[in-house]
Amino acid sequence: MNLKSIKKDIFTFVKIISTVLITSAIGLESWNIYAVINNTYLPSSLNPIFWIERFAMASHFIEGIIAAFYAPSRQRMPIKYATYTFFVGTIGLLELFERENDY
């Protein structure tokens, strides 16, 4: 195995895990908003998890904004690539800034 195939496999694995975790974070935050609207209380033991998921969501949101800003210079659609980068995280930015001959 060469380094490029290992890098590709790791990137694929991280993309899958990141998409699942961000989707779960969206569901968790939706559950929290539903609980607040309906005056239901969630266990306080979940508070650290909420803060971690909010930090991850904010980080991915900022990465999505960066991707949307730079996508046109790389001949990519801004909204589409921003959404992709929001779900896969830093890997999306790395792919955006990769040189053309690395594909």
Side-chain angles (χ1 to χ4, degrees):
M1 289 182 99
N2 60 12
L3 190 58
K4 278 193 174 193
S5 69
I6 293 172
K7 178 182 165 184
K8 183 179 176 187
D9 292 343
I10 290 174
F11 275 19
T12 303
F13 179 72
V14 170
K15 284 190 237 181
I16 292 169
I17 295 297
S18 180
T19 302
V20 168
L21 290 176
I22 286 296
T23 304
S24 300
I26 292 169
L28 191 61
E29 193 61 35
S30 299
W31 179 38
N32 188 31
I33 292 169
Y34 175 80
V36 168
I37 290 172
N38 291 312
N39 295 325
T40 308
Y41 295 101
L42 298 176
S44 62
S45 61
L46 291 177
N47 283 340
I49 294 172
F50 283 120
W51 284 107
I52 291 169
E53 65 92 358
R54 287 176 186 145
F55 176 76
M57 296 261 292
S59 300
H60 281 240
F61 184 71
I62 291 168
E63 290 171 342
I65 291 171
I66 293 168
F69 183 75
Y70 284 104
S73 68
R74 307 289 186 183
Q75 289 77 37
R76 310 247 181 169
M77 292 178 57
I79 299 297
K80 184 177 177 182
Y81 208 79
T83 304
Y84 170 73
T85 303
F86 174 76
F87 281 100
V88 300
T90 306
I91 302 288
L93 286 178
L94 290 174
E95 291 174 349
L96 181 64
F97 294 119
E98 231 175 31
R99 288 179 291 170
E100 292 295 320
N101 59 4
D102 285 348
Y103 287 107

